[in-house]
Amino acid sequence: MGLTVTGAVLDGETVGVRCEDGRIAAIGPGVEAAPGDEAIAAGAAPLVAPLLNGHTHAAMTLFRGSGGDLPLMPWLEERIWPVEAKLDDEDVYWGARLACAEMVRTGTTRFWDMYWHPEATARAVADAGIAATVGAPLFDHDGNGEGMRERALASLDHLAELGPAIAPALAPHSIYTVSEDSLRWIATLSAEREVPIHIHLAETEREVADCVAAHGLRPAAYLDSLGALGERTVLAHGVWLDRAELELIAARGCTVVTNPVANMKLAVGGVFPYPAARAAGVAVGLGSDGAGSNDSLDLLADLKAFALAQKHAAASPAAIAAGEAWAVATGAQAPLLGGGERLTVGAPADFLLLRPDAPELGIGELASNLVYAASGAVVDTTVAAGRVLMRGGELPGMDGIVARARERARRLGLA
Ligand SMILES: [Zn+2]
């Protein structure tokens, strides 16, 4: 028994999709439902790949609306870290459930997360029916490197047991909150266990200046000197990477995830140099960052900001084409992130049906409309691993999830 969608439109052609065991078993004109299949008549809805959120802190939905218009460091030190010290498993679970609900509603079915109580996030992801690469944030700027290492090892073991939808990662917060020794230890562990490293890098100009002052190297070269740049490394932000760093990152096979809306909201003063990254051959994905600093998880909205920021910074409307921006948002330009597979037989049965009556999509090229006209509101149906998570824009259980997340935010003095 599988799921069959008929009457969808893919690249201008009317097609059906049959899904079995979480994968696409058949796709194309004339594909029909098998006896016993769950059947969806798409009514000429456009069929597209889902979005992939390459960097977020899902449970930070609890912090939404309490950013206080502060710069990055005071925001972290005054608003975020003191409250995070009080978080428990249930807070993170419901914050992450809320995030997953928003992602499903707006067409994201896979994300990369870095947050406290990662097992609670993983549980929320599994209960929501989507997939994530999850890591506990690692810090040792409190001087407790030993405690950090124990936490890292324990979380890798726990996360490895949580099923196929959850991939574990090591998530050192940044080069300014994790010591040189610990970063070297993380790099070795990543290689031994074959798990990714997910780290914030080159987010602010001050981070670069401090890194050069402390180590005589710019951030990417510093990480490379510790063995932490490799094919399993995901660098979030990269706003201040220079050309030599981008070439180094490309040579090492790392992935950079740009978070344009969070960067603009926290006013980091620069734009990730996408054209130079592309020229160097860097794998690039798109992220929202946490709802504490965005505040939305609607990646279609962030996609517009990404494309506009690139055009504006380059003073050229040709800086990025709509189809290329869309490919970045689905993960097609960054294989490590785990999305972006073409909708073909054998690929994971992850896809979206867009509202056939959406005014934003009625006229003109689909890729251009998705980047510049659409928001997550155009998503009608979300399918992940062959399961229908949302149909007709209605997500089952949404009211309960919002209510429980609000209760947890109140407990923390945030709502
Ligand atoms: Zn972040």
Side-chain angles (χ1 to χ4, degrees):
M1 219 181 81
L3 164 72
T4 297
V5 175
T6 53
V9 177
L10 176 65
D11 300 330
E13 192 177 38
T14 299
V15 301
V17 191
R18 177 146 203 286
C19 314
E20 219 171 39
D21 300 327
R23 304 226 152 230
I24 295 175
I27 183 165
V31 169
E32 300 284 346
D37 273 2
E38 179 181 359
I40 290 180
L47 169 67
V48 297
L51 296 122
L52 185 148
N53 192 338
H55 175 71
T56 190
H57 313 276
M60 290 192 83
T61 49
L62 299 174
F63 293 85
R64 173 175 288 141
S66 49
D69 296 323
L70 292 167
L72 176 64
M73 288 321 293
W75 175 71
L76 285 173
E77 287 166 359
E78 293 165 26
R79 297 295 173 98
I80 303 299
W81 289 343
V83 181
E84 285 186 336
K86 299 188 282 187
L87 284 173
D88 69 18
D89 263 22
E90 285 301 286
D91 297 327
V92 170
Y93 176 83
W94 287 106
R97 275 306 295 272
L98 182 61
C100 291
E102 292 178 50
M103 288 193 239
V104 169
R105 260 181 74 146
T106 54
T108 294
T109 59
R110 178 178 285 273
F111 65 98
W112 281 59
D113 200 74
M114 173 197 294
Y115 209 57
W116 305 107
H117 305 270
E119 299 88 353
T121 298
R123 206 156 40 89
V125 169
D127 290 349
I130 59 177
T133 300
V134 179
L138 304 176
F139 290 82
D140 70 354
H141 60 321
D142 55 1
N144 187 2
E146 201 51 46
M148 186 214 77
R149 291 172 196 206
E150 279 168 25
R151 267 205 328 280
L153 288 168
S155 78
L156 278 191
D157 290 342
H158 289 148
L159 291 167
E161 293 164 4
L162 295 176
I166 305 300
L170 289 160
H173 174 265
S174 62
I175 56 172
Y176 57 89
T177 50
V178 182
S179 67
E180 196 170 324
D181 274 356
S182 289
L183 285 168
R184 205 177 273 118
W185 179 84
I186 288 163
T188 305
L189 186 64
S190 157
E192 276 172 16
R193 302 274 188 108
E194 300 186 351
V195 292
I197 296 175
H198 179 189
I199 185 169
H200 296 108
L201 194 78
E203 181 173 5
T204 64
E205 211 170 6
R206 182 180 145 195
E207 178 187 336
V208 178
D210 288 352
C211 184
V212 170
H215 310 289
L217 294 167
R218 291 179 64 88
Y222 169 62
L223 271 189
D224 191 49
S225 76
L226 307 177
L229 286 192
E231 287 172 2
R232 293 188 199 90
T233 305
V234 172
L235 307 168
H237 299 303
V239 173
W240 298 96
L241 295 170
D242 71 9
R243 197 170 289 268
E245 288 179 291
L246 290 166
E247 281 168 9
L248 175 63
I249 285 166
R252 296 288 183 262
C254 310
T255 298
V256 177
V257 172
T258 177
N259 300 269
V261 172
N263 293 156
M264 285 192 255
K265 184 154 186 270
L266 287 167
V268 301
V271 172
F272 167 63
Y274 178 79
R278 176 184 51 202
V282 176
V284 177
L286 180 66
S288 61
D289 213 341
S293 63
N294 182 309
D295 295 9
S296 163
L297 296 170
D298 180 352
L299 214 56
L300 272 166
D302 288 24
L303 174 55
K304 178 169 183 171
F306 166 58
L308 294 185
Q310 292 303 329
K311 287 165 183 262
H312 188 64
S316 165
I320 186 164
E324 186 177 344
W326 173 250
V328 169
T330 63
Q333 309 274 73
L336 176 69
L337 297 179
E341 285 200 58
R342 288 185 60 80
L343 298 176
T344 51
V345 171
D350 299 346
F351 55 83
L352 311 176
L353 296 172
L354 307 178
R355 286 179 50 158
D357 61 347
E360 303 92 324
L361 306 179
I363 296 166
E365 282 179 21
L366 182 61
S368 178
N369 291 341
L370 284 170
V371 178
Y372 297 112
S375 69
V378 303
V379 179
D380 177 89
T381 299
T382 303
V383 174
R387 281 179 58 205
V388 180
L389 304 181
M390 181 177 80
R391 178 82 182 115
E394 294 288 330
L395 191 82
M398 182 65 126
D399 289 352
I401 293 169
V402 174
R404 293 300 300 276
R406 193 185 295 124
E407 272 172 36
R408 303 314 296 189
R410 287 211 180 105
R411 188 190 90 79
L412 295 164
L414 291 166

PDB file of all heavy atoms in Angstrom, residues 55 57 114 200 236-237 289-290, ligand 1:
ATOM      1  N   HIS A  55      20.184  25.720   8.318  1.00  0.00           N
ATOM      2  CA  HIS A  55      20.695  26.173   9.626  1.00  0.00           C
ATOM      3  C   HIS A  55      19.573  26.811  10.437  1.00  0.00           C
ATOM      4  O   HIS A  55      19.024  27.840  10.054  1.00  0.00           O
ATOM      5  CB  HIS A  55      21.822  27.198   9.448  1.00  0.00           C
ATOM      6  CG  HIS A  55      22.283  27.768  10.750  1.00  0.00           C
ATOM      7  ND1 HIS A  55      23.001  27.027  11.668  1.00  0.00           N
ATOM      8  CD2 HIS A  55      22.100  28.982  11.325  1.00  0.00           C
ATOM      9  CE1 HIS A  55      23.245  27.767  12.738  1.00  0.00           C
ATOM     10  NE2 HIS A  55      22.707  28.960  12.555  1.00  0.00           N
ATOM     11  N   HIS A  57      17.720  26.870  14.764  1.00  0.00           N
ATOM     12  CA  HIS A  57      17.674  26.457  16.163  1.00  0.00           C
ATOM     13  C   HIS A  57      16.173  26.349  16.427  1.00  0.00           C
ATOM     14  O   HIS A  57      15.537  27.318  16.866  1.00  0.00           O
ATOM     15  CB  HIS A  57      18.326  27.513  17.059  1.00  0.00           C
ATOM     16  CG  HIS A  57      19.659  27.998  16.542  1.00  0.00           C
ATOM     17  ND1 HIS A  57      20.835  27.328  16.779  1.00  0.00           N
ATOM     18  CD2 HIS A  57      19.987  29.068  15.769  1.00  0.00           C
ATOM     19  CE1 HIS A  57      21.837  27.973  16.191  1.00  0.00           C
ATOM     20  NE2 HIS A  57      21.344  29.030  15.560  1.00  0.00           N
ATOM     21  N   MET A 114      20.836  23.110  15.651  1.00  0.00           N
ATOM     22  CA  MET A 114      21.847  23.195  16.701  1.00  0.00           C
ATOM     23  C   MET A 114      21.124  23.758  17.915  1.00  0.00           C
ATOM     24  O   MET A 114      20.757  24.940  17.913  1.00  0.00           O
ATOM     25  CB  MET A 114      22.951  24.156  16.241  1.00  0.00           C
ATOM     26  CG  MET A 114      23.996  24.479  17.297  1.00  0.00           C
ATOM     27  SD  MET A 114      24.958  25.964  16.873  1.00  0.00           S
ATOM     28  CE  MET A 114      25.867  25.469  15.426  1.00  0.00           C
ATOM     29  N   HIS A 200      28.748  27.985  13.463  1.00  0.00           N
ATOM     30  CA  HIS A 200      28.617  29.370  12.970  1.00  0.00           C
ATOM     31  C   HIS A 200      30.016  29.877  12.611  1.00  0.00           C
ATOM     32  O   HIS A 200      30.949  29.690  13.397  1.00  0.00           O
ATOM     33  CB  HIS A 200      28.081  30.284  14.070  1.00  0.00           C
ATOM     34  CG  HIS A 200      26.701  29.963  14.548  1.00  0.00           C
ATOM     35  ND1 HIS A 200      26.445  29.405  15.770  1.00  0.00           N
ATOM     36  CD2 HIS A 200      25.491  30.148  13.974  1.00  0.00           C
ATOM     37  CE1 HIS A 200      25.132  29.270  15.934  1.00  0.00           C
ATOM     38  NE2 HIS A 200      24.525  29.703  14.853  1.00  0.00           N
ATOM     39  N   ALA A 236      27.746  27.945   8.989  1.00  0.00           N
ATOM     40  CA  ALA A 236      26.571  28.818   8.913  1.00  0.00           C
ATOM     41  C   ALA A 236      27.021  30.272   8.885  1.00  0.00           C
ATOM     42  O   ALA A 236      27.901  30.664   9.657  1.00  0.00           O
ATOM     43  CB  ALA A 236      25.665  28.581  10.119  1.00  0.00           C
ATOM     44  N   HIS A 237      26.440  31.045   8.000  1.00  0.00           N
ATOM     45  CA  HIS A 237      26.639  32.490   7.796  1.00  0.00           C
ATOM     46  C   HIS A 237      27.694  32.790   6.734  1.00  0.00           C
ATOM     47  O   HIS A 237      27.352  33.075   5.610  1.00  0.00           O
ATOM     48  CB  HIS A 237      26.913  33.243   9.102  1.00  0.00           C
ATOM     49  CG  HIS A 237      25.788  33.134  10.065  1.00  0.00           C
ATOM     50  ND1 HIS A 237      24.511  33.532   9.742  1.00  0.00           N
ATOM     51  CD2 HIS A 237      25.716  32.608  11.317  1.00  0.00           C
ATOM     52  CE1 HIS A 237      23.709  33.286  10.765  1.00  0.00           C
ATOM     53  NE2 HIS A 237      24.417  32.723  11.731  1.00  0.00           N
ATOM     54  N   ASP A 289      18.149  30.449  10.208  1.00  0.00           N
ATOM     55  CA  ASP A 289      18.626  30.671  11.568  1.00  0.00           C
ATOM     56  C   ASP A 289      17.410  30.553  12.498  1.00  0.00           C
ATOM     57  O   ASP A 289      16.296  30.292  12.052  1.00  0.00           O
ATOM     58  CB  ASP A 289      19.356  32.010  11.716  1.00  0.00           C
ATOM     59  CG  ASP A 289      20.493  31.915  12.754  1.00  0.00           C
ATOM     60  OD1 ASP A 289      20.479  30.976  13.576  1.00  0.00           O
ATOM     61  OD2 ASP A 289      21.377  32.775  12.738  1.00  0.00           O
ATOM     62  N   GLY A 290      17.613  30.721  13.791  1.00  0.00           N
ATOM     63  CA  GLY A 290      16.522  30.488  14.734  1.00  0.00           C
ATOM     64  C   GLY A 290      15.450  31.562  14.670  1.00  0.00           C
ATOM     65  O   GLY A 290      15.706  32.677  14.224  1.00  0.00           O
TER      66      GLY A 290
HETATM   67 ZN    ZN B   1      22.497  30.153  14.252  1.00  0.00          ZN
END
